[in-house]
């Protein structure tokens, strides 16, 4: 049914997708098992299908054609013909309009109906027979775009890993309620690039924003029918297109403007990406794209019954990383976001699923091999969520050199320690020093550990100290969803309270957790809003709450007015002191003939801990001495890195303890920089101490002292 006025040329099998070259548009779609492919052209609104063009040319399993009269803005989709045989893994159904896996933009949103499924909903044989209804009226349309953009002098900040401070945020939730952002821009890429938001991030001191998924994603049918939506976005429909719900202008270039503006402020952009599964779900899910294009190629199917999917993700399916075209899709998507969109790195959701060659997790999987040899991707920041839901999927510490990891061990240990659980000082010592037990033996550095206490998935910091139990009733699943083992403590009363004693204790616990985060070796990641006391009212799985429960509240209460500057101060300390962001693990022994170690662990009597001290199950206090001069580290010009000596004191017990400061170095004047007992810092008369003097370490508190007899270099850059 090609219109006689449309010229159709053979075109090229590469590049895949719809590519505007300044004269026309080349269309190319991979399908290994398809028998026929039709390119469908739609009206400007996407409501009417105008043309169906048979893609008669096929090269290396790629169907292709070229429309010399097509222009950017054109809306299109595909209908793919072939066998409908679920038992053999084939689910072709030309009645279902399919999104282009390589589309750079989508127009419109999914409008749920039974027609979106490849089989008749409610049929006795479930998915074994095809459905004949046209799905096009309820489907978004792929859109041709012009990728041209004036980047000017944009350059990636390239912040070294050891100087990085990550801020995890949701594009919509961060500005949806911001009073200084124009209402039309709130919750958008443009809103994130406004001057008040940029200024806030700079004052806070973070060096990178980690954006929760911005790839175009699907709101699940069961959520929509309950008046909810997939707010977090871990439900990808396409790996090249930014979700246009976050776009105030309706143009992809808005995302590029956001990146360029953040770069100008010295802030990197890291994307949380979901390549382990798609929004099409299990064998009873909708047919939107990959399933209808070539189900056998794109998905991991059960070997002896290909009707069903291997599910390592808990989302119904797993992408087939064993197929070279699937690897190509993901690699070209990643390169597109770096080269065309200028992002600075990626956090890979459920990254263990990407490493599975057969069933076991293979740390040398093809995906990692390809990443390491890629001249573009090997140069950006790579962060793994080092687990999936399959057998053997928990892989903290096992990713290759060049990768960093969300350190779940760090989160759990720090939470349990400040909750007051005994027997954790040994594990806590590893977490404070960069988790050498997880990363050192494989040749990695302290910055392999992305340290976090909270993230989008789970309690906020405020809720971590306010609730013993999850309260997810708003999700409509009778509070069955979400993690039950949270290592949280409500400080004596569940949820909101009028008790000043409890509120003060919660505030101190938040300071303890933040101080631990920013004074530990490794890379700190702060969840947006934790510095302000953001609450989700005890909901630890707010994935479907696109409302004020999840959005950041920019009004500060009295506790928030103290917590925000305290957080800024901690980040500033980290920036000023090289000893807090080492590039190498401590050696724990005398270095270069010096009389002291680079690191020593202290008992409350000021003496160095002996082997038997670590096994004291009741011990909840710990001292850590850091020798500021003993760095075997150099800057980019080969100059020695210097800092001042430091002491960290931690007491997770409810009772105070007198902690004797070490006798060496002798005649040292120690200055208190942090004591979490004080919301705004100790008074001047509470800041000065000397060698061998007793420090009154209060219950549930953390202290940082520095050697005031030998201060750090005045520039604060730690360079000799």
């Amino acid at each position: 049914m090609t219109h006689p006025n449309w010229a159709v040329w053979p075109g090229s099998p590469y590049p895949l997708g719809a590519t505007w070259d300044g004269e026309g548009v080349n269309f190319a779609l991979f399908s290994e098992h398809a028998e026929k492919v039709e390119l469908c052209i739609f009206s400007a609104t996407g409501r009417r299908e105008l043309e169906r063009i048979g893609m008669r040319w096929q090269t290396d399993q790629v169907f292709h054609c070229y429309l010399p009269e097509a222009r950017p803005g054109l809306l299109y989709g595909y209908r793919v013909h072939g066998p409908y045989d679920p038992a053999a893994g084939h689910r072709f159904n030309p009645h279902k309009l399919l999104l282009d896996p390589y589309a750079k933009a989508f127009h419109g949103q999914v409008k749920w109906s039974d027609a979106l499924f490849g089989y008749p909903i409610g049929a006795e044989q479930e998915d074994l027979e095809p459905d004949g209804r046209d799905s096009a009226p309820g489907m978004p349309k792929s859109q041709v775009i012009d990728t041209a953009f004036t980047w000017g002098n944009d350059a990636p900040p390239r912040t070294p890993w050891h100087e990085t401070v990550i801020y995890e945020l949701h594009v919509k939730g961060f500005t949806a309620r911001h009073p200084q952002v124009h209402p039309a821009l709130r919750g958008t890429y443009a809103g994130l690039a406004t001057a008040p938001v940029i200024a806030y991030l700079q004052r806070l001191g973070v060096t990178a924003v980690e954006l929760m998924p911005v790839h175009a994603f699907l709101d699940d049918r069961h959520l929509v029918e309950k008046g909810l939506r997939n707010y977090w976005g871990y439900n990808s429909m396409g790996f090249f297109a930014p979700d246009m719900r976050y776009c105030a202008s309706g143009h992809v270039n808005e995302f590029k403007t956001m990146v360029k503006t953040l770069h100008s402020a010295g802030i990197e952009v890291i994307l949380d990406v979901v390549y382990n599964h798609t929004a099409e779900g299990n064998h009873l899910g909708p047919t939107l794209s990959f399933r209808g294009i070539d189900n056998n190629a794109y998905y991991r199917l059960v070997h002896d019954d290909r009707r069903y999917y291997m599910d390592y993700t808990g989302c119904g399916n797993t992408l087939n990383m064993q197929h070279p075209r699937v690897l190509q899709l993901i690699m070209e998507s990643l390169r597109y976001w770096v080269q065309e969109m200028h992002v600075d790195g990626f956090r890979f959701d459920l990254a263990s699923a990407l490493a599975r060659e057969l069933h076991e997790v293979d740390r040398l999987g093809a995906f990692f091999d390809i990443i390491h040899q890629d001249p573009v991707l090997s140069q950006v920041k790579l962060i793994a969520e080092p687990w999936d839901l399959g057998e053997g999927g928990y892989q903290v510490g096992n990713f290759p050199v060049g990768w960093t990891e969300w350190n779940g061990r760090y989160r759990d240990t720090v939470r349990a320690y400040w909750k007051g659980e005994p027997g954790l000082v040994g594990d806590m010592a590893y977490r404070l020093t960069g988790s050498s037990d997880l990363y050192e033996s494989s040749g990695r550095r302290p910055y392999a550990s992305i340290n976090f206490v909270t993230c989008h998935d789970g309690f906020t910091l405020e809720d971590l100290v306010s609730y013993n139990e999850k309260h997810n009733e708003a999700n409509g699943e009778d509070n069955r969803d979400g993690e039950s083992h949270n290592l949280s403590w409500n400080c004596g009363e569940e949820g909101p309270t009028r008790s000043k004693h409890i509120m003060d204790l919660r505030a101190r616990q938040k300071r303890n957790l933040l101080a631990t985060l920013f004074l530990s070796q490794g890379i700190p990641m702060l969840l947006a809003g934790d510095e302000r006391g953001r609450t989700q009212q005890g909901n630890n799985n707010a994935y479907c709450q696109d409302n004020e429960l999840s959005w950041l509240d920019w009004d500060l209460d009295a506790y928030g007015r103290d917590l925000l500057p305290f957080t800024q101060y901690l980040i500033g300390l980290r920036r000023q002191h090289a000893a807090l962001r080492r590039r190498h693990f401590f050696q724990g022994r005398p270095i270069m003939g010096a009389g002291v170690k680079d690191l020593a662990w202290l008992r409350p009597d000021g003496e160095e801990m002996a082997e038997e001290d670590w096994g004291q199950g009741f011990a909840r206090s710990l001292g850590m001495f850091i020798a500021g001069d003993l760095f075997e580290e150099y800057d980019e010009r080969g100059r020695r890195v210097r800092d001042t000596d430091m002491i960290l004191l931690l007491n997770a017990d409810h009772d105070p303890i007198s902690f004797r400061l070490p006798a060496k170095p002798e005649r040292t004047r120690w200055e208190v920089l942090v004591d979490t007992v004080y919301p705004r810092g100790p008074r001047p008369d509470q800041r000065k101490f000397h060698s061998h003097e007793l420090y009154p370490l209060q219950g549930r508190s953390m202290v940082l002292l520095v050697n005031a007899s030998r201060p750090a270099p005045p520039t604060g850059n730690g360079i000799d």
Side-chain angles (χ1 to χ4, degrees):
M1 54 185 293
T2 302
H3 193 281
N5 293 328
W6 277 96
V8 182
W9 300 350
S12 170
Y14 186 85
L16 291 165
T19 306
W20 161 248
D21 63 8
E23 297 180 27
V25 178
N26 190 80
F27 295 88
L29 180 75
F30 158 76
S31 181
E32 182 176 349
H33 300 100
E35 298 169 352
K36 173 183 174 183
V37 174
E38 294 176 303
L39 171 64
C40 304
I41 306 299
F42 286 84
S43 65
T45 63
R47 295 175 182 171
R48 289 191 302 119
E49 184 175 347
L50 303 178
E51 311 288 344
R52 291 190 191 181
I53 299 171
M55 300 178 75
R56 297 186 289 113
W57 295 275
Q58 184 182 5
T59 305
D60 298 332
Q61 301 173 340
V62 175
F63 294 81
H64 52 89
C65 68
Y66 183 90
L67 304 186
E69 295 159 2
R71 298 292 180 264
L74 180 76
L75 303 184
Y76 70 99
Y78 291 109
R79 298 184 186 273
V80 181
H81 299 251
Y84 187 89
D85 185 1
H90 297 306
R91 295 178 178 270
F92 296 102
N93 187 337
H95 300 288
K96 309 305 169 184
L97 186 76
L98 305 175
L99 299 172
D100 183 354
Y102 279 78
K104 308 302 190 298
F106 294 137
H107 175 86
Q109 300 294 326
V110 166
K111 298 176 183 176
W112 280 107
S113 74
D114 291 354
L116 269 61
F117 295 79
Y119 62 94
I121 294 290
E124 184 176 347
Q125 294 187 322
E126 291 188 326
D127 59 321
L128 294 181
E129 296 294 331
D131 178 78
R133 287 169 290 187
D134 183 9
S135 68
M139 283 291 293
K141 309 304 182 292
S142 304
Q143 186 171 34
V144 177
I145 69 166
D146 183 351
T147 59
F149 181 75
T150 305
W151 283 105
N153 60 354
D154 178 68
R158 296 194 183 280
T159 307
W161 259 126
H162 68 287
E163 296 178 5
T164 298
V165 177
I166 298 173
Y167 193 60
E168 188 194 28
L169 64 83
H170 188 284
V171 170
K172 180 175 182 180
F174 193 64
T175 63
R177 304 175 67 185
H178 199 302
Q180 294 177 282
V181 174
H182 190 282
L185 302 182
R186 291 175 187 167
T188 67
Y189 307 120
L192 198 55
T194 55
V197 174
I198 297 291
Y200 179 82
L201 296 172
Q202 290 180 309
R203 288 194 303 270
L204 188 57
V206 299
T207 69
V209 291
E210 182 176 304
L211 306 183
M212 290 177 65
V214 297
H215 287 172
F217 63 89
L218 177 70
D219 289 329
D220 313 71
R221 187 178 193 178
H222 73 276
L223 292 178
V224 173
E225 290 174 348
K226 291 192 292 186
L228 302 171
R229 60 164 294 208
N230 194 317
Y231 171 69
W232 287 354
Y234 293 92
N235 206 27
S236 302
M237 292 194 302
F239 300 122
F240 293 80
D243 198 288
M244 301 306 281
R245 284 172 288 192
Y246 303 151
C247 192
S249 64
H251 298 292
V252 169
N253 282 354
E254 183 179 316
F255 184 93
K256 298 180 180 181
T257 300
M258 176 197 71
V259 172
K260 189 175 189 299
T261 306
L262 286 164
H263 281 180
S264 295
I267 298 171
E268 294 182 304
V269 179
I270 298 171
L271 298 189
D272 193 337
V273 290
V274 188
Y275 292 111
N276 52 74
H277 74 280
T278 78
E280 292 184 304
N282 64 16
H283 64 291
L284 299 179
T287 296
L288 308 171
S289 179
F290 309 93
R291 172 173 284 141
I293 294 171
D294 199 325
N295 188 63
N296 253 312
Y298 278 109
Y299 292 116
R300 294 286 298 272
L301 304 179
V302 175
H303 177 69
D304 55 356
D305 190 348
R306 302 188 69 78
R307 176 185 178 187
Y308 300 105
Y309 296 78
M310 298 293 291
D311 182 11
Y312 297 114
T313 66
C315 300
N317 63 58
T318 303
L319 275 179
N320 183 15
M321 298 294 292
Q322 298 169 299
H323 198 290
R325 287 294 190 178
V326 179
L327 277 173
Q328 178 186 0
L329 169 76
I330 295 174
M331 296 300 294
E332 290 186 349
S333 166
L334 290 167
R335 281 192 290 267
Y336 174 80
W337 286 97
V338 174
Q339 295 176 310
E340 287 289 340
M341 308 296 251
H342 285 209
V343 304
D344 304 283
F346 304 95
R347 179 264 188 190
F348 292 83
D349 179 66
L350 299 181
S352 294
L354 301 175
R356 291 183 181 272
E357 293 281 308
L358 295 173
H359 176 72
E360 300 81 5
V361 174
D362 181 356
R363 61 176 291 181
L364 298 177
F367 176 69
F368 299 115
D369 292 340
I370 293 172
I371 288 274
H372 286 172
Q373 60 80 39
D374 189 276
V376 174
L377 301 179
S378 62
Q379 302 304 305
V380 302
K381 286 184 164 68
L382 302 171
I383 305 171
E385 183 185 32
W387 49 78
D388 65 20
L389 300 187
E391 181 181 350
Y394 191 79
Q395 292 291 313
V396 173
N398 290 337
F399 276 71
V401 171
W403 284 76
T404 64
E405 298 175 12
W406 273 26
N407 190 343
R409 285 278 299 277
Y410 181 95
R411 172 199 59 204
D412 294 346
T413 298
V414 171
R415 287 185 178 194
Y417 175 79
W418 285 114
K419 183 184 177 185
E421 295 188 6
L424 288 173
V425 290
D427 204 9
M428 190 69 170
Y430 276 122
R431 305 314 140 223
L432 289 168
T433 54
S435 295
S436 60
D437 58 330
L438 299 178
Y439 303 114
E440 187 173 24
S441 63
S442 61
R444 299 162 80 185
R445 300 285 183 85
Y447 50 75
S449 178
I450 304 296
N451 299 331
F452 67 106
V453 177
T454 60
C455 65
H456 69 273
D457 187 1
F459 280 143
T460 66
L461 183 65
E462 179 71 30
D463 292 352
L464 188 67
V465 301
S466 302
Y467 295 90
N468 285 348
E469 309 295 337
K470 62 183 180 179
H471 296 270
N472 299 353
E473 290 80 7
N475 296 354
E477 298 180 41
D478 297 323
N479 204 33
R480 295 189 304 269
D481 62 305
E483 177 61 57
S484 296
H485 183 63
N486 295 288
L487 295 169
S488 60
W489 178 46
N490 64 18
C491 297
E493 188 174 336
E494 189 77 352
T497 180
R498 294 184 179 181
S499 167
K500 188 176 187 304
H501 167 73
I502 292 176
M503 289 192 292
D504 287 347
L505 178 56
R506 289 175 178 176
R508 185 187 300 186
Q509 286 288 79
K510 286 185 286 184
R511 293 192 293 272
N512 288 332
L513 291 160
L514 288 171
T516 304
L517 177 65
F518 289 109
L519 301 181
S520 296
Q521 303 297 325
I523 307 306
M525 183 183 78
L526 178 67
L527 173 63
D530 276 356
E531 75 280 8
R532 308 174 65 86
R534 183 175 79 89
T535 178
Q536 291 176 170
Q537 299 172 25
N539 192 321
N540 74 350
N541 189 35
Y543 77 102
C544 56
Q545 300 294 331
D546 185 9
N547 50 52
E548 293 186 355
L549 186 71
S550 295
W551 302 341
L552 201 66
D553 183 357
W554 289 88
D555 291 330
L556 287 170
D557 62 14
Y559 290 97
R561 286 192 290 272
D562 287 339
L563 190 62
L564 176 57
F566 179 77
T567 309
Q568 293 170 318
Y569 176 66
L570 290 172
I571 296 175
L573 282 179
R574 184 180 184 85
R575 182 172 58 249
Q576 294 162 16
H577 288 281
L580 297 174
R581 42 182 174 81
R582 292 172 55 103
R583 283 172 284 187
H584 297 84
F585 287 108
F586 291 102
Q587 297 187 27
R589 59 176 175 79
I591 297 175
M592 298 180 293
V596 294
K597 301 177 181 180
D598 63 345
L599 171 71
W601 298 104
L602 307 174
R603 300 187 312 220
D605 63 3
E607 297 299 318
E608 190 169 351
M609 291 182 70
E611 187 67 31
E612 60 269 17
D613 295 323
W614 293 103
Q616 299 293 333
F618 57 83
R620 293 185 175 89
S621 61
L622 183 66
M624 175 182 174
F625 172 83
I626 302 172
D629 273 354
L630 300 185
F631 278 72
E632 287 192 308
E633 299 191 13
Y634 300 85
D635 75 342
E636 64 278 1
R637 297 186 180 180
R639 297 172 296 187
R640 277 281 308 281
V641 176
R642 294 179 57 244
D643 203 345
T644 189
D645 300 332
M646 296 181 176
I647 295 176
L648 275 175
L649 303 177
L650 298 87
N651 181 18
D653 197 84
H654 56 84
D655 288 328
I657 187 171
S658 294
F659 210 109
R660 190 171 296 281
L661 300 181
K664 295 181 179 180
E666 298 176 353
R667 296 184 295 278
T668 299
R669 291 184 295 108
W670 293 99
E671 180 180 0
V672 180
L673 295 187
V674 175
D675 187 331
T676 58
V677 167
Y678 305 103
R680 302 178 186 179
R683 301 190 308 269
D685 62 307
Q686 298 168 319
R687 291 181 180 272
K688 305 298 182 182
F689 292 83
H690 294 86
S691 298
H692 212 60
E693 191 173 349
L694 288 171
Y695 189 89
L697 184 62
Q698 299 302 305
R700 297 194 176 97
S701 71
M702 182 172 178
V703 174
L704 172 67
L705 304 100
V706 297
N707 186 341
S709 305
R710 187 172 54 192
T715 58
N717 61 8
I719 294 176
D720 193 2

